[in-house]
Amino acid sequence: MRSALFLLVWLAATPSEREVVVQERESLAQVAQRTLGDPQGASELKALNGLTSDAVPAGTTLKLPSEADRSKAMSALAAARNAVAQADRNAARREEASAKLKEAEAHFASADYDSAAKTADSAWALLSPGAGQPSTFRVKVDEGGDTTVSVQTGPPVRVRSENKTQPVNSGQIMKVAKGQPPPVPEAILAPPQPRTPNDGSHFKFVPVKGQLGPVTLTWSAVTGAKEYLVEVQPSEGTPLRHTVSATQWQLPPLAAGRYRWTVRALNGSQQSNASAEHLFELAEDQVKLQVGKPTWQ
């Protein structure tokens, strides 16, 4: 059966009634582990079923939470936790966001999933500059059925596959294998920043066999990058492309002329946008032959 993948900014679903029967010698925490995958979910079952004790007789039928509502709240909580964890400790709204996150977690523990999702979203919005704006994201499905989701700006996009939901925040990318639940997203590779030569640089070289150089290109390192793809485009002719693991590349001798170059960060199949384009120019420096009167007689 083919796995369906849903991209959701706001997930709306009709709650479904689910039940479970407590087994012999089974604690409420064990029931939560068996049905929800988390023993801490005992507090949710307790609130949802109006229980006053953790001791539940075998054979008792317990109502389970709506999978869609719980998943929505978990996704919102994950996004809020990520925003708080990544915020600078001195950020103006970090303390307020942390307080809202604790409030959202309390709502979740009491099985009030709607309040948990809304409060967690408000905590995330306090620390996210793109809050209130529509998400911009890309979805790519390869021939094998694997799906890659990357989010550029705006609120997190929630990816659902195999009954599991995972948020992808702005600046993150996620590759979901066909038939598998969504993994933890990774940071999108940022484009490198060109350093030298400065944009608009002009070089003069004495030609050797009609070629000029060398010129060395350098750029900033990018976190997560394993290699860099450099492209040098002459004003006329075929561009040069080269992949290096360092943050510099010494160009081969070139003909006189104007050149534009960019660089991208690479990590496996992940590739950043191209850097800002920089220009340099090569010109011949003719050596003048100095002829003077000899000093000897």
Side-chain angles (χ1 to χ4, degrees), residues 176-196:
V176 185
K178 182 178 180 181
Q180 298 296 318
V184 175
E186 301 176 357
I188 294 175
L189 290 176
Q193 299 300 315
R195 287 183 172 171
T196 59

mmCIF file with all atom_site columns, all heavy atoms in Angstrom, residues 176-196:
data_model
loop_
_atom_site.group_PDB
_atom_site.id
_atom_site.type_symbol
_atom_site.label_atom_id
_atom_site.label_alt_id
_atom_site.label_comp_id
_atom_site.label_asym_id
_atom_site.label_entity_id
_atom_site.label_seq_id
_atom_site.pdbx_PDB_ins_code
_atom_site.Cartn_x
_atom_site.Cartn_y
_atom_site.Cartn_z
_atom_site.occupancy
_atom_site.B_iso_or_equiv
_atom_site.pdbx_formal_charge
_atom_site.auth_seq_id
_atom_site.auth_comp_id
_atom_site.auth_asym_id
_atom_site.auth_atom_id
_atom_site.pdbx_PDB_model_num
ATOM 1   N N   . VAL A 1 176 ? 12.180 12.310 3.116  1.00 0.00 ? 176 VAL A N   1
ATOM 2   C CA  . VAL A 1 176 ? 11.337 11.234 3.637  1.00 0.00 ? 176 VAL A CA  1
ATOM 3   C C   . VAL A 1 176 ? 11.422 10.047 2.687  1.00 0.00 ? 176 VAL A C   1
ATOM 4   O O   . VAL A 1 176 ? 11.024 10.142 1.523  1.00 0.00 ? 176 VAL A O   1
ATOM 5   C CB  . VAL A 1 176 ? 9.869  11.685 3.786  1.00 0.00 ? 176 VAL A CB  1
ATOM 6   C CG1 . VAL A 1 176 ? 9.047  10.586 4.445  1.00 0.00 ? 176 VAL A CG1 1
ATOM 7   C CG2 . VAL A 1 176 ? 9.791  12.975 4.595  1.00 0.00 ? 176 VAL A CG2 1
ATOM 8   N N   . ALA A 1 177 ? 11.960 8.923  3.175  1.00 0.00 ? 177 ALA A N   1
ATOM 9   C CA  . ALA A 1 177 ? 12.037 7.713  2.360  1.00 0.00 ? 177 ALA A CA  1
ATOM 10  C C   . ALA A 1 177 ? 10.645 7.120  2.198  1.00 0.00 ? 177 ALA A C   1
ATOM 11  O O   . ALA A 1 177 ? 9.822  7.164  3.117  1.00 0.00 ? 177 ALA A O   1
ATOM 12  C CB  . ALA A 1 177 ? 12.986 6.699  2.998  1.00 0.00 ? 177 ALA A CB  1
ATOM 13  N N   . LYS A 1 178 ? 10.377 6.563  1.033  1.00 0.00 ? 178 LYS A N   1
ATOM 14  C CA  . LYS A 1 178 ? 9.068  5.979  0.745  1.00 0.00 ? 178 LYS A CA  1
ATOM 15  C C   . LYS A 1 178 ? 8.752  4.883  1.758  1.00 0.00 ? 178 LYS A C   1
ATOM 16  O O   . LYS A 1 178 ? 9.555  3.987  2.020  1.00 0.00 ? 178 LYS A O   1
ATOM 17  C CB  . LYS A 1 178 ? 9.066  5.394  -0.668 1.00 0.00 ? 178 LYS A CB  1
ATOM 18  C CG  . LYS A 1 178 ? 7.729  4.806  -1.089 1.00 0.00 ? 178 LYS A CG  1
ATOM 19  C CD  . LYS A 1 178 ? 7.782  4.292  -2.509 1.00 0.00 ? 178 LYS A CD  1
ATOM 20  C CE  . LYS A 1 178 ? 6.446  3.698  -2.936 1.00 0.00 ? 178 LYS A CE  1
ATOM 21  N NZ  . LYS A 1 178 ? 6.493  3.178  -4.320 1.00 0.00 ? 178 LYS A NZ  1
ATOM 22  N N   . GLY A 1 179 ? 7.564  4.968  2.354  1.00 0.00 ? 179 GLY A N   1
ATOM 23  C CA  . GLY A 1 179 ? 7.123  3.962  3.318  1.00 0.00 ? 179 GLY A CA  1
ATOM 24  C C   . GLY A 1 179 ? 7.710  4.122  4.695  1.00 0.00 ? 179 GLY A C   1
ATOM 25  O O   . GLY A 1 179 ? 7.517  3.265  5.555  1.00 0.00 ? 179 GLY A O   1
ATOM 26  N N   . GLN A 1 180 ? 8.425  5.242  4.965  1.00 0.00 ? 180 GLN A N   1
ATOM 27  C CA  . GLN A 1 180 ? 9.044  5.475  6.260  1.00 0.00 ? 180 GLN A CA  1
ATOM 28  C C   . GLN A 1 180 ? 8.461  6.729  6.907  1.00 0.00 ? 180 GLN A C   1
ATOM 29  O O   . GLN A 1 180 ? 7.996  7.642  6.212  1.00 0.00 ? 180 GLN A O   1
ATOM 30  C CB  . GLN A 1 180 ? 10.558 5.633  6.113  1.00 0.00 ? 180 GLN A CB  1
ATOM 31  C CG  . GLN A 1 180 ? 11.263 4.407  5.570  1.00 0.00 ? 180 GLN A CG  1
ATOM 32  C CD  . GLN A 1 180 ? 11.140 3.218  6.499  1.00 0.00 ? 180 GLN A CD  1
ATOM 33  O OE1 . GLN A 1 180 ? 11.262 3.355  7.727  1.00 0.00 ? 180 GLN A OE1 1
ATOM 34  N NE2 . GLN A 1 180 ? 10.895 2.041  5.936  1.00 0.00 ? 180 GLN A NE2 1
ATOM 35  N N   . PRO A 1 181 ? 8.484  6.798  8.254  1.00 0.00 ? 181 PRO A N   1
ATOM 36  C CA  . PRO A 1 181 ? 8.025  8.024  8.912  1.00 0.00 ? 181 PRO A CA  1
ATOM 37  C C   . PRO A 1 181 ? 9.017  9.151  8.663  1.00 0.00 ? 181 PRO A C   1
ATOM 38  O O   . PRO A 1 181 ? 10.183 8.909  8.323  1.00 0.00 ? 181 PRO A O   1
ATOM 39  C CB  . PRO A 1 181 ? 7.980  7.625  10.393 1.00 0.00 ? 181 PRO A CB  1
ATOM 40  C CG  . PRO A 1 181 ? 8.964  6.505  10.510 1.00 0.00 ? 181 PRO A CG  1
ATOM 41  C CD  . PRO A 1 181 ? 8.886  5.757  9.220  1.00 0.00 ? 181 PRO A CD  1
ATOM 42  N N   . PRO A 1 182 ? 8.606  10.395 8.804  1.00 0.00 ? 182 PRO A N   1
ATOM 43  C CA  . PRO A 1 182 ? 9.509  11.520 8.550  1.00 0.00 ? 182 PRO A CA  1
ATOM 44  C C   . PRO A 1 182 ? 10.632 11.581 9.580  1.00 0.00 ? 182 PRO A C   1
ATOM 45  O O   . PRO A 1 182 ? 10.386 11.437 10.776 1.00 0.00 ? 182 PRO A O   1
ATOM 46  C CB  . PRO A 1 182 ? 8.589  12.744 8.640  1.00 0.00 ? 182 PRO A CB  1
ATOM 47  C CG  . PRO A 1 182 ? 7.426  12.288 9.458  1.00 0.00 ? 182 PRO A CG  1
ATOM 48  C CD  . PRO A 1 182 ? 7.246  10.839 9.162  1.00 0.00 ? 182 PRO A CD  1
ATOM 49  N N   . PRO A 1 183 ? 11.881 11.798 9.142  1.00 0.00 ? 183 PRO A N   1
ATOM 50  C CA  . PRO A 1 183 ? 13.006 11.891 10.071 1.00 0.00 ? 183 PRO A CA  1
ATOM 51  C C   . PRO A 1 183 ? 13.135 13.303 10.629 1.00 0.00 ? 183 PRO A C   1
ATOM 52  O O   . PRO A 1 183 ? 12.354 14.206 10.280 1.00 0.00 ? 183 PRO A O   1
ATOM 53  C CB  . PRO A 1 183 ? 14.209 11.563 9.178  1.00 0.00 ? 183 PRO A CB  1
ATOM 54  C CG  . PRO A 1 183 ? 13.800 12.120 7.841  1.00 0.00 ? 183 PRO A CG  1
ATOM 55  C CD  . PRO A 1 183 ? 12.306 11.901 7.743  1.00 0.00 ? 183 PRO A CD  1
ATOM 56  N N   . VAL A 1 184 ? 14.116 13.517 11.506 1.00 0.00 ? 184 VAL A N   1
ATOM 57  C CA  . VAL A 1 184 ? 14.395 14.857 12.017 1.00 0.00 ? 184 VAL A CA  1
ATOM 58  C C   . VAL A 1 184 ? 14.996 15.681 10.876 1.00 0.00 ? 184 VAL A C   1
ATOM 59  O O   . VAL A 1 184 ? 15.913 15.229 10.196 1.00 0.00 ? 184 VAL A O   1
ATOM 60  C CB  . VAL A 1 184 ? 15.386 14.796 13.197 1.00 0.00 ? 184 VAL A CB  1
ATOM 61  C CG1 . VAL A 1 184 ? 15.764 16.187 13.660 1.00 0.00 ? 184 VAL A CG1 1
ATOM 62  C CG2 . VAL A 1 184 ? 14.773 14.004 14.349 1.00 0.00 ? 184 VAL A CG2 1
ATOM 63  N N   . PRO A 1 185 ? 14.474 16.885 10.615 1.00 0.00 ? 185 PRO A N   1
ATOM 64  C CA  . PRO A 1 185 ? 14.994 17.684 9.493  1.00 0.00 ? 185 PRO A CA  1
ATOM 65  C C   . PRO A 1 185 ? 16.396 18.202 9.760  1.00 0.00 ? 185 PRO A C   1
ATOM 66  O O   . PRO A 1 185 ? 16.845 18.275 10.910 1.00 0.00 ? 185 PRO A O   1
ATOM 67  C CB  . PRO A 1 185 ? 13.989 18.838 9.389  1.00 0.00 ? 185 PRO A CB  1
ATOM 68  C CG  . PRO A 1 185 ? 13.407 18.948 10.750 1.00 0.00 ? 185 PRO A CG  1
ATOM 69  C CD  . PRO A 1 185 ? 13.368 17.553 11.316 1.00 0.00 ? 185 PRO A CD  1
ATOM 70  N N   . GLU A 1 186 ? 17.089 18.561 8.692  1.00 0.00 ? 186 GLU A N   1
ATOM 71  C CA  . GLU A 1 186 ? 18.425 19.126 8.776  1.00 0.00 ? 186 GLU A CA  1
ATOM 72  C C   . GLU A 1 186 ? 18.381 20.588 8.347  1.00 0.00 ? 186 GLU A C   1
ATOM 73  O O   . GLU A 1 186 ? 17.433 21.025 7.697  1.00 0.00 ? 186 GLU A O   1
ATOM 74  C CB  . GLU A 1 186 ? 19.395 18.368 7.861  1.00 0.00 ? 186 GLU A CB  1
ATOM 75  C CG  . GLU A 1 186 ? 19.520 16.885 8.189  1.00 0.00 ? 186 GLU A CG  1
ATOM 76  C CD  . GLU A 1 186 ? 20.412 16.171 7.189  1.00 0.00 ? 186 GLU A CD  1
ATOM 77  O OE1 . GLU A 1 186 ? 20.877 16.833 6.228  1.00 0.00 ? 186 GLU A OE1 1
ATOM 78  O OE2 . GLU A 1 186 ? 20.652 14.971 7.375  1.00 0.00 ? 186 GLU A OE2 1
ATOM 79  N N   . ALA A 1 187 ? 19.426 21.327 8.714  1.00 0.00 ? 187 ALA A N   1
ATOM 80  C CA  . ALA A 1 187 ? 19.517 22.723 8.299  1.00 0.00 ? 187 ALA A CA  1
ATOM 81  C C   . ALA A 1 187 ? 19.832 22.803 6.806  1.00 0.00 ? 187 ALA A C   1
ATOM 82  O O   . ALA A 1 187 ? 20.622 22.017 6.283  1.00 0.00 ? 187 ALA A O   1
ATOM 83  C CB  . ALA A 1 187 ? 20.598 23.453 9.096  1.00 0.00 ? 187 ALA A CB  1
ATOM 84  N N   . ILE A 1 188 ? 19.176 23.735 6.123  1.00 0.00 ? 188 ILE A N   1
ATOM 85  C CA  . ILE A 1 188 ? 19.483 23.974 4.720  1.00 0.00 ? 188 ILE A CA  1
ATOM 86  C C   . ILE A 1 188 ? 20.868 24.605 4.630  1.00 0.00 ? 188 ILE A C   1
ATOM 87  O O   . ILE A 1 188 ? 21.211 25.503 5.401  1.00 0.00 ? 188 ILE A O   1
ATOM 88  C CB  . ILE A 1 188 ? 18.447 24.907 4.078  1.00 0.00 ? 188 ILE A CB  1
ATOM 89  C CG1 . ILE A 1 188 ? 17.076 24.213 4.034  1.00 0.00 ? 188 ILE A CG1 1
ATOM 90  C CG2 . ILE A 1 188 ? 18.862 25.334 2.671  1.00 0.00 ? 188 ILE A CG2 1
ATOM 91  C CD1 . ILE A 1 188 ? 15.964 25.097 3.517  1.00 0.00 ? 188 ILE A CD1 1
ATOM 92  N N   . LEU A 1 189 ? 21.671 24.141 3.690  1.00 0.00 ? 189 LEU A N   1
ATOM 93  C CA  . LEU A 1 189 ? 23.001 24.706 3.513  1.00 0.00 ? 189 LEU A CA  1
ATOM 94  C C   . LEU A 1 189 ? 22.893 26.160 3.057  1.00 0.00 ? 189 LEU A C   1
ATOM 95  O O   . LEU A 1 189 ? 22.174 26.479 2.113  1.00 0.00 ? 189 LEU A O   1
ATOM 96  C CB  . LEU A 1 189 ? 23.788 23.909 2.474  1.00 0.00 ? 189 LEU A CB  1
ATOM 97  C CG  . LEU A 1 189 ? 24.225 22.494 2.881  1.00 0.00 ? 189 LEU A CG  1
ATOM 98  C CD1 . LEU A 1 189 ? 24.899 21.806 1.698  1.00 0.00 ? 189 LEU A CD1 1
ATOM 99  C CD2 . LEU A 1 189 ? 25.159 22.534 4.077  1.00 0.00 ? 189 LEU A CD2 1
ATOM 100 N N   . ALA A 1 190 ? 23.598 27.024 3.751  1.00 0.00 ? 190 ALA A N   1
ATOM 101 C CA  . ALA A 1 190 ? 23.626 28.433 3.359  1.00 0.00 ? 190 ALA A CA  1
ATOM 102 C C   . ALA A 1 190 ? 24.618 28.618 2.213  1.00 0.00 ? 190 ALA A C   1
ATOM 103 O O   . ALA A 1 190 ? 25.606 27.883 2.122  1.00 0.00 ? 190 ALA A O   1
ATOM 104 C CB  . ALA A 1 190 ? 24.037 29.297 4.542  1.00 0.00 ? 190 ALA A CB  1
ATOM 105 N N   . PRO A 1 191 ? 24.385 29.578 1.336  1.00 0.00 ? 191 PRO A N   1
ATOM 106 C CA  . PRO A 1 191 ? 25.360 29.821 0.268  1.00 0.00 ? 191 PRO A CA  1
ATOM 107 C C   . PRO A 1 191 ? 26.646 30.409 0.847  1.00 0.00 ? 191 PRO A C   1
ATOM 108 O O   . PRO A 1 191 ? 26.591 31.230 1.768  1.00 0.00 ? 191 PRO A O   1
ATOM 109 C CB  . PRO A 1 191 ? 24.648 30.810 -0.654 1.00 0.00 ? 191 PRO A CB  1
ATOM 110 C CG  . PRO A 1 191 ? 23.623 31.464 0.198  1.00 0.00 ? 191 PRO A CG  1
ATOM 111 C CD  . PRO A 1 191 ? 23.205 30.440 1.203  1.00 0.00 ? 191 PRO A CD  1
ATOM 112 N N   . PRO A 1 192 ? 27.809 30.018 0.334  1.00 0.00 ? 192 PRO A N   1
ATOM 113 C CA  . PRO A 1 192 ? 29.080 30.606 0.803  1.00 0.00 ? 192 PRO A CA  1
ATOM 114 C C   . PRO A 1 192 ? 29.150 32.085 0.445  1.00 0.00 ? 192 PRO A C   1
ATOM 115 O O   . PRO A 1 192 ? 28.442 32.562 -0.448 1.00 0.00 ? 192 PRO A O   1
ATOM 116 C CB  . PRO A 1 192 ? 30.141 29.799 0.046  1.00 0.00 ? 192 PRO A CB  1
ATOM 117 C CG  . PRO A 1 192 ? 29.433 28.578 -0.457 1.00 0.00 ? 192 PRO A CG  1
ATOM 118 C CD  . PRO A 1 192 ? 28.015 28.987 -0.682 1.00 0.00 ? 192 PRO A CD  1
ATOM 119 N N   . GLN A 1 193 ? 30.037 32.800 1.122  1.00 0.00 ? 193 GLN A N   1
ATOM 120 C CA  . GLN A 1 193 ? 30.263 34.209 0.831  1.00 0.00 ? 193 GLN A CA  1
ATOM 121 C C   . GLN A 1 193 ? 31.623 34.366 0.157  1.00 0.00 ? 193 GLN A C   1
ATOM 122 O O   . GLN A 1 193 ? 32.648 34.040 0.747  1.00 0.00 ? 193 GLN A O   1
ATOM 123 C CB  . GLN A 1 193 ? 30.225 35.036 2.126  1.00 0.00 ? 193 GLN A CB  1
ATOM 124 C CG  . GLN A 1 193 ? 28.901 34.981 2.863  1.00 0.00 ? 193 GLN A CG  1
ATOM 125 C CD  . GLN A 1 193 ? 27.754 35.504 2.022  1.00 0.00 ? 193 GLN A CD  1
ATOM 126 O OE1 . GLN A 1 193 ? 27.876 36.539 1.371  1.00 0.00 ? 193 GLN A OE1 1
ATOM 127 N NE2 . GLN A 1 193 ? 26.634 34.795 2.035  1.00 0.00 ? 193 GLN A NE2 1
ATOM 128 N N   . PRO A 1 194 ? 31.679 34.849 -1.096 1.00 0.00 ? 194 PRO A N   1
ATOM 129 C CA  . PRO A 1 194 ? 32.976 35.052 -1.758 1.00 0.00 ? 194 PRO A CA  1
ATOM 130 C C   . PRO A 1 194 ? 33.831 36.047 -0.979 1.00 0.00 ? 194 PRO A C   1
ATOM 131 O O   . PRO A 1 194 ? 33.319 37.041 -0.452 1.00 0.00 ? 194 PRO A O   1
ATOM 132 C CB  . PRO A 1 194 ? 32.578 35.631 -3.123 1.00 0.00 ? 194 PRO A CB  1
ATOM 133 C CG  . PRO A 1 194 ? 31.165 35.191 -3.335 1.00 0.00 ? 194 PRO A CG  1
ATOM 134 C CD  . PRO A 1 194 ? 30.545 35.184 -1.968 1.00 0.00 ? 194 PRO A CD  1
ATOM 135 N N   . ARG A 1 195 ? 35.139 35.766 -0.901 1.00 0.00 ? 195 ARG A N   1
ATOM 136 C CA  . ARG A 1 195 ? 36.052 36.641 -0.162 1.00 0.00 ? 195 ARG A CA  1
ATOM 137 C C   . ARG A 1 195 ? 37.048 37.326 -1.092 1.00 0.00 ? 195 ARG A C   1
ATOM 138 O O   . ARG A 1 195 ? 37.108 38.545 -1.156 1.00 0.00 ? 195 ARG A O   1
ATOM 139 C CB  . ARG A 1 195 ? 36.770 35.842 0.926  1.00 0.00 ? 195 ARG A CB  1
ATOM 140 C CG  . ARG A 1 195 ? 35.854 35.485 2.099  1.00 0.00 ? 195 ARG A CG  1
ATOM 141 C CD  . ARG A 1 195 ? 36.598 34.764 3.204  1.00 0.00 ? 195 ARG A CD  1
ATOM 142 N NE  . ARG A 1 195 ? 35.758 34.611 4.385  1.00 0.00 ? 195 ARG A NE  1
ATOM 143 C CZ  . ARG A 1 195 ? 36.069 33.885 5.446  1.00 0.00 ? 195 ARG A CZ  1
ATOM 144 N NH1 . ARG A 1 195 ? 37.223 33.211 5.466  1.00 0.00 ? 195 ARG A NH1 1
ATOM 145 N NH2 . ARG A 1 195 ? 35.245 33.807 6.473  1.00 0.00 ? 195 ARG A NH2 1
ATOM 146 N N   . THR A 1 196 ? 37.867 36.526 -1.765 1.00 0.00 ? 196 THR A N   1
ATOM 147 C CA  . THR A 1 196 ? 38.846 37.109 -2.684 1.00 0.00 ? 196 THR A CA  1
ATOM 148 C C   . THR A 1 196 ? 38.804 36.340 -3.998 1.00 0.00 ? 196 THR A C   1
ATOM 149 O O   . THR A 1 196 ? 38.520 35.143 -4.013 1.00 0.00 ? 196 THR A O   1
ATOM 150 C CB  . THR A 1 196 ? 40.274 37.042 -2.092 1.00 0.00 ? 196 THR A CB  1
ATOM 151 O OG1 . THR A 1 196 ? 40.616 35.674 -1.839 1.00 0.00 ? 196 THR A OG1 1
ATOM 152 C CG2 . THR A 1 196 ? 40.387 37.857 -0.824 1.00 0.00 ? 196 THR A CG2 1
#
